[in-house]
Every structure is written in structure tokens, then in C-alpha cells.
């Protein structure tokens, strides 16, 4: 199902590869004869720098952000809707094949293994079924369900805090490294470091936290 989207994305990337040296914007950035001087990146220790110093970064960015990206975005907007509709159709066909078109979760009886496990559990209680009149075991809310719900919410809240801390940590990392790089006397090296290594290392940190 995702093969057409990957093919279109690959074609957009190949378009960027073939037209990288004919793009007017990147050619203006890489044209040293224009002698475009940019403002310092920081207040005190940074010096003025040339726009042509970002030529490599501009070329690399163009591979993924070119006019064909607009076509890819429009395609993905339609493909996402089509994918959902095709998935609904596939789910309906599977439900019909398995005989689950009239499946109702509330009307399904409990599994025998589940009832047997409740019968052997000391915390389970019994109540009378209003339909059949038989006594059935059930899970009490305050002694079993509530602790499980509290544990689940606590784990989710902890993971949310970890994500927020990771985001702030990456932001602080980028700020601290940029401040440290600005103290280096070699402006060419510091510019390359700030443009390539810092985003790459920040992306790796994000990847580690995601995994």
C-alpha cells in the first residue's frame, strides 16, 4: 500500500538530484562573485560571514526541498485519504470472510479461560446476572481495576515527562554548543560545525530518545 508513495517520493528526490545545479536560488547562494555579506550569528564573538559559505548546505537541502516537493505534498494529501478508504474496504472484506459482520463486543460472552481465571482469583467477587440469573465472577473496581488504571496513567504521564525533558534537552544542547562554537577563532570551521554537525548530533539524540 505504501509502495506508490515511496515511488513518488523517490522521483521527487531524483528530480532534485538532476536539477540541483540549475536551481536559481542555490546558484545565487553559491555564487561568490555576488559577495553577499551576512550579519553575525551571535552578538559579541561572531564576525560577518559570506552567504557563499553555506553553498554545500544549500545544495544538500535542495535535494529534499525542491519544487517537486509541492507535487509530493499534494499527492500525499490525496493518497492518505485513499489509503484510509482502501483500508476500510479491506477490513470490511476480512470481516465478511470471517463472519464477523454482526460482531458486537457487548453481546459477546466472556471467554471460558477468563472465567476460569476469575474463579481461582481470591480478589474476584460474584454477582447475579440479571438475564440468566446465574452467579458470575467479576473484577472489583476499587481493589483491582483502580490500581491498574492508576498504574497505566502514571506510566503514560512519566513517558510524557520524559519526552518533554528530551525536547528541552535537545534545545539546550543546541544552544550550548552554538555558544561554545562561537568562541572558536576559526570562523570557517565553526560555521561548518554549526550547520552540519550540530543538527546531525541533535537528530541522533532525538533518535535515541525515540527508540
Amino acid at each position: 500500500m505504501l509502495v506508490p508513495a515511496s515511488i513518488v517520493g523517490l522521483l521527487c528526490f531524483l528530480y532534485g538530484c538532476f536539477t540541483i545545479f540549475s536551481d536559481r536560488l542555490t546558484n545565487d547562494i553559491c555564487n561568490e562573485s555576488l559577495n553577499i555579506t551576512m550579519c553575525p550569528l551571535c552578538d559579541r564573538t561572531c564576525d560577518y560571514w559570506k552567504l557563499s559559505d553555506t553553498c554545500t548546505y544549500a545544495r544538500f537541502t535542495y535535494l529534499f526541498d525542491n519544487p517537486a516537493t509541492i507535487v509530493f505534498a499534494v499527492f500525499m494529501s490525496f493518497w492518505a485519504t485513499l489509503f484510509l478508504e482502501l483500508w476500510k474496504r479491506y477490513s470490511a472484506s476480512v470481516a465478511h470472510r470471517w463472519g464477523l459482520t454482526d460482531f458486537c463486543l457487548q453481546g459477546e460472552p466472556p471467554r471460558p479461560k477468563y472465567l476460569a481465571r476469575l474463579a481461582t482469583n481470591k480478589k474476584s467477587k460474584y454477582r447475579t446476572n440479571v438475564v440468566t440469573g446465574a452467579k458470575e465472577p467479576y473484577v472489583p473496581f476499587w481493589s483491582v481495576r483502580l490500581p491498574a488504571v492508576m498504574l497505566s496513567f502514571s506510566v503514560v504521564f512519566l513517558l510524557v515527562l520524559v519526552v518533554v525533558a528530551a525536547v528541552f534537552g535537545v534545545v539546550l544542547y543546541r544552544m550550548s554548543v552554538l555558544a561554545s562554537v562561537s568562541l572558536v577563532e576559526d570562523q570557517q570551521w565553526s560555521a561548518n560545525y554549526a550547520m552540519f554537525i550540530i543538527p546531525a548530533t541533535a537528530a541522533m539524540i532525538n533518535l535515541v530518545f525515540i527508540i
Side-chain angles (χ1 to χ4, degrees), residues 102-119:
D102 297 330
F103 175 77
C104 180
L105 183 61
Q106 301 297 332
E108 287 294 316
R111 293 181 293 110
K113 187 176 181 180
Y114 174 73
L115 294 177
R117 186 175 181 181
L118 282 181

Side-chain angles (χ1 to χ4, degrees), residues 112-173:
K113 187 176 181 180
Y114 174 73
L115 294 177
R117 186 175 181 181
L118 282 181
T120 57
N121 192 354
K122 297 180 180 180
K123 295 183 179 180
S124 60
K125 298 181 180 180
Y126 289 86
R127 61 184 175 186
T128 303
N129 192 326
V130 296
V131 178
T132 61
K135 290 186 177 181
E136 297 178 351
Y138 75 99
V139 179
F141 176 77
W142 295 104
S143 60
V144 178
R145 290 188 178 181
L146 183 61
V149 172
M150 294 299 295
L151 178 62
S152 300
F153 276 100
S154 301
V155 172
V156 172
F157 183 70
L158 176 62
L159 294 179
V160 170
L161 291 181
V162 170
V163 172
V164 174
V167 172
F168 277 102
V170 172
V171 173
L172 292 177
Y173 165 77

